[in-house]
Every structure is written in C-alpha cells, then in structure tokens.
Amino acid sequence: RNSLVKLKVKVGAMENRCKKLSQQLRSARADLSLQAEEALLKTLRIFARNEGLKADELFKKLSKGESAIKPEHLRELVERIPDAQLKAPQLDLALDRFSAGLSKLAVLELAQEFQKCVKEVALTTSLEVKDGKTVRKLLKGEVLEVLEVGRVDTATGLSRLRCRAIIDQKEGWVTSQGNAGSSFLSTCRKPYFCFDEE
C-alpha cells in the first residue's frame, strides 16, 4: 500500500511537470510563429519595395483574382526570392498562420512600416544631419510611419529614415542608430485607434 501511495505521488509530480513543459512548448511555438509571420511580412514588404509595387499591385499579382492570396502562392513567391531570410521551417510556421490566405487588408498593412522611438531623437528637415534644421524632438514611445528607408548620412555614417510622426503628421529625417550602436527606434505594429464616443 505504501508503495502505491509513493507511486501515485511520483505520477502526480510527473504529470504536473509534463503540464508545465507542455505549456512552455505551446508558448514557445506561439512566439516562434509570430516571429515567422513578421519575417514573412517583412520579406513581402522588401520584395514589393524592390519591385516598385504598391500594395494593391502586389495583392493583385499574388491573389490571381481571388479574395485572398493563397498560402501556396505565398510559398512560390518566397522560394523564388534569392535573398529571402526565411528558412523552410520558419516559412511553414508563417504559412500556418495564413492558412486561410492573406487578405487585401493584411497586404495593405504590410506595405506600411512603423517604428517606435525608444529614446528621444530629433526629427530634421534633411538627410544630412549638418544641413538639416530640427522640426521637433520625438519623444520616447512615439510612433512613426516610415516613408523611406536605408539611407546613410555620408558625412556622419549614420543610418537615417524619412518618417512621418503619427501624432501630428510632421515629416522629416530620423537617425535610427547612433555611432556607438545605440538604437533610437524599434519596429512596431501599425497603430489603430478606437473611439468610445463621437
């Protein structure tokens, strides 16, 4: 009888441990799946930018007249992109999230890129820091829509983005990363606003 009680306690402890591990695995898979989705959307954004396609044109090209882009069409496209950063398992996870297809709204959203200020930084009138005047200071937590990426101020070597501040629609150039490697901006999802009353 004592051995049965001990065995029951051991089984109970193992069962609890298995439940915790199972929960951790589900959580890790969800995180990986979200990262894979973001990587796929980033790949599509870069592809559209490099091809000079607007979001509507990209959707029309890939949807082939359907109401959504089928997962197999997404796979074909990504596998044809020579410098796509997605590995096969990552692509499988991303496509699982889009098993019903990629809607036109999702394609329109991916065409826009947003960054959030992680440190205060200046919004200036020119790509070149020395030639620009400060439009205003961007505050920590402020969200920006990216209008142009991948430009470098040749005088300073700083990576700069042309952006529009969501809060007041002011446009200008922002340093994304400083000389010492400190980041001023981080990628974020498109903000949506909800109103309780009119």
Side-chain angles (χ1 to χ4, degrees), residues 1 47 60 87 103 112 127 159 174 184 196:
R1 184 161 173 103
F47 170 78
K60 189 175 182 180
K87 296 180 178 120
S103 69
Q112 295 175 302
L127 167 64
S159 178
V174 180
F184 293 104
D196 290 336

PDB file of all heavy atoms in Angstrom, residues 1 47 60 87 103 112 127 159 174 184 196:
ATOM      1  N   ARG A   1       0.826  -1.206   0.000  1.00  0.00           N
ATOM      2  CA  ARG A   1       0.000   0.000   0.000  1.00  0.00           C
ATOM      3  C   ARG A   1       0.869   1.268   0.000  1.00  0.00           C
ATOM      4  O   ARG A   1       0.571   2.220  -0.716  1.00  0.00           O
ATOM      5  CB  ARG A   1      -0.914  -0.034   1.235  1.00  0.00           C
ATOM      6  CG  ARG A   1      -1.871   1.127   1.266  1.00  0.00           C
ATOM      7  CD  ARG A   1      -3.027   0.827   2.201  1.00  0.00           C
ATOM      8  NE  ARG A   1      -3.855   1.976   2.357  1.00  0.00           N
ATOM      9  CZ  ARG A   1      -5.020   2.152   1.766  1.00  0.00           C
ATOM     10  NH1 ARG A   1      -5.490   1.243   0.967  1.00  0.00           N
ATOM     11  NH2 ARG A   1      -5.708   3.239   1.969  1.00  0.00           N
ATOM     12  N   PHE A  47      10.258  42.840 -50.894  1.00  0.00           N
ATOM     13  CA  PHE A  47      10.039  42.420 -52.284  1.00  0.00           C
ATOM     14  C   PHE A  47       9.240  43.485 -53.038  1.00  0.00           C
ATOM     15  O   PHE A  47       9.607  43.883 -54.142  1.00  0.00           O
ATOM     16  CB  PHE A  47       9.302  41.075 -52.331  1.00  0.00           C
ATOM     17  CG  PHE A  47       8.840  40.689 -53.710  1.00  0.00           C
ATOM     18  CD1 PHE A  47       9.738  40.164 -54.631  1.00  0.00           C
ATOM     19  CD2 PHE A  47       7.514  40.861 -54.090  1.00  0.00           C
ATOM     20  CE1 PHE A  47       9.311  39.816 -55.910  1.00  0.00           C
ATOM     21  CE2 PHE A  47       7.087  40.511 -55.358  1.00  0.00           C
ATOM     22  CZ  PHE A  47       7.988  39.995 -56.271  1.00  0.00           C
ATOM     23  N   LYS A  60      -2.914  42.152 -56.213  1.00  0.00           N
ATOM     24  CA  LYS A  60      -3.487  41.719 -57.497  1.00  0.00           C
ATOM     25  C   LYS A  60      -2.609  40.654 -58.155  1.00  0.00           C
ATOM     26  O   LYS A  60      -3.110  39.658 -58.663  1.00  0.00           O
ATOM     27  CB  LYS A  60      -3.645  42.936 -58.420  1.00  0.00           C
ATOM     28  CG  LYS A  60      -4.422  42.659 -59.677  1.00  0.00           C
ATOM     29  CD  LYS A  60      -4.637  43.945 -60.457  1.00  0.00           C
ATOM     30  CE  LYS A  60      -5.474  43.675 -61.694  1.00  0.00           C
ATOM     31  NZ  LYS A  60      -5.709  44.885 -62.475  1.00  0.00           N
ATOM     32  N   LYS A  87      13.889  30.651 -43.483  1.00  0.00           N
ATOM     33  CA  LYS A  87      14.273  29.248 -43.639  1.00  0.00           C
ATOM     34  C   LYS A  87      12.988  28.446 -43.814  1.00  0.00           C
ATOM     35  O   LYS A  87      11.913  28.899 -43.440  1.00  0.00           O
ATOM     36  CB  LYS A  87      15.055  28.787 -42.416  1.00  0.00           C
ATOM     37  CG  LYS A  87      16.370  29.516 -42.258  1.00  0.00           C
ATOM     38  CD  LYS A  87      17.115  29.041 -41.036  1.00  0.00           C
ATOM     39  CE  LYS A  87      18.433  29.758 -40.961  1.00  0.00           C
ATOM     40  NZ  LYS A  87      18.634  30.541 -39.785  1.00  0.00           N
ATOM     41  N   SER A 103      -5.252  38.368 -46.626  1.00  0.00           N
ATOM     42  CA  SER A 103      -6.299  39.272 -47.109  1.00  0.00           C
ATOM     43  C   SER A 103      -5.697  40.549 -47.698  1.00  0.00           C
ATOM     44  O   SER A 103      -4.538  40.881 -47.454  1.00  0.00           O
ATOM     45  CB  SER A 103      -7.248  39.637 -45.964  1.00  0.00           C
ATOM     46  OG  SER A 103      -6.574  40.462 -45.035  1.00  0.00           O
ATOM     47  N   GLN A 112       3.016  49.256 -45.183  1.00  0.00           N
ATOM     48  CA  GLN A 112       3.426  50.346 -44.306  1.00  0.00           C
ATOM     49  C   GLN A 112       4.340  49.791 -43.221  1.00  0.00           C
ATOM     50  O   GLN A 112       4.107  48.707 -42.698  1.00  0.00           O
ATOM     51  CB  GLN A 112       2.208  50.990 -43.652  1.00  0.00           C
ATOM     52  CG  GLN A 112       1.286  51.663 -44.641  1.00  0.00           C
ATOM     53  CD  GLN A 112       0.044  52.169 -43.949  1.00  0.00           C
ATOM     54  OE1 GLN A 112      -0.676  51.410 -43.332  1.00  0.00           O
ATOM     55  NE2 GLN A 112      -0.184  53.467 -44.058  1.00  0.00           N
ATOM     56  N   LEU A 127      18.338  64.803 -44.931  1.00  0.00           N
ATOM     57  CA  LEU A 127      19.047  63.542 -44.726  1.00  0.00           C
ATOM     58  C   LEU A 127      20.384  63.801 -44.030  1.00  0.00           C
ATOM     59  O   LEU A 127      20.748  63.116 -43.082  1.00  0.00           O
ATOM     60  CB  LEU A 127      19.279  62.835 -46.070  1.00  0.00           C
ATOM     61  CG  LEU A 127      20.256  61.665 -46.076  1.00  0.00           C
ATOM     62  CD1 LEU A 127      19.755  60.523 -45.208  1.00  0.00           C
ATOM     63  CD2 LEU A 127      20.505  61.181 -47.490  1.00  0.00           C
ATOM     64  N   SER A 159      22.759  55.885 -40.033  1.00  0.00           N
ATOM     65  CA  SER A 159      21.625  55.344 -40.780  1.00  0.00           C
ATOM     66  C   SER A 159      20.407  56.217 -40.499  1.00  0.00           C
ATOM     67  O   SER A 159      20.065  56.464 -39.343  1.00  0.00           O
ATOM     68  CB  SER A 159      21.357  53.907 -40.327  1.00  0.00           C
ATOM     69  OG  SER A 159      20.242  53.389 -40.990  1.00  0.00           O
ATOM     70  N   VAL A 174      15.093  60.925 -39.457  1.00  0.00           N
ATOM     71  CA  VAL A 174      15.401  60.478 -38.110  1.00  0.00           C
ATOM     72  C   VAL A 174      16.584  59.518 -38.156  1.00  0.00           C
ATOM     73  O   VAL A 174      16.670  58.671 -39.040  1.00  0.00           O
ATOM     74  CB  VAL A 174      14.187  59.752 -37.481  1.00  0.00           C
ATOM     75  CG1 VAL A 174      14.497  59.274 -36.075  1.00  0.00           C
ATOM     76  CG2 VAL A 174      12.961  60.635 -37.467  1.00  0.00           C
ATOM     77  N   PHE A 184      17.728  54.239 -31.609  1.00  0.00           N
ATOM     78  CA  PHE A 184      16.745  55.254 -31.262  1.00  0.00           C
ATOM     79  C   PHE A 184      15.329  54.773 -31.588  1.00  0.00           C
ATOM     80  O   PHE A 184      14.363  55.289 -31.050  1.00  0.00           O
ATOM     81  CB  PHE A 184      17.023  56.556 -32.019  1.00  0.00           C
ATOM     82  CG  PHE A 184      18.297  57.222 -31.587  1.00  0.00           C
ATOM     83  CD1 PHE A 184      19.430  57.162 -32.380  1.00  0.00           C
ATOM     84  CD2 PHE A 184      18.375  57.906 -30.387  1.00  0.00           C
ATOM     85  CE1 PHE A 184      20.605  57.773 -31.992  1.00  0.00           C
ATOM     86  CE2 PHE A 184      19.549  58.526 -29.986  1.00  0.00           C
ATOM     87  CZ  PHE A 184      20.680  58.450 -30.787  1.00  0.00           C
ATOM     88  N   ASP A 196     -14.562  55.686 -28.205  1.00  0.00           N
ATOM     89  CA  ASP A 196     -15.732  55.246 -27.458  1.00  0.00           C
ATOM     90  C   ASP A 196     -16.955  56.095 -27.796  1.00  0.00           C
ATOM     91  O   ASP A 196     -18.061  55.605 -27.840  1.00  0.00           O
ATOM     92  CB  ASP A 196     -15.480  55.332 -25.953  1.00  0.00           C
ATOM     93  CG  ASP A 196     -14.469  54.286 -25.493  1.00  0.00           C
ATOM     94  OD1 ASP A 196     -14.321  53.266 -26.190  1.00  0.00           O
ATOM     95  OD2 ASP A 196     -13.830  54.499 -24.452  1.00  0.00           O
TER      96      ASP A 196
END
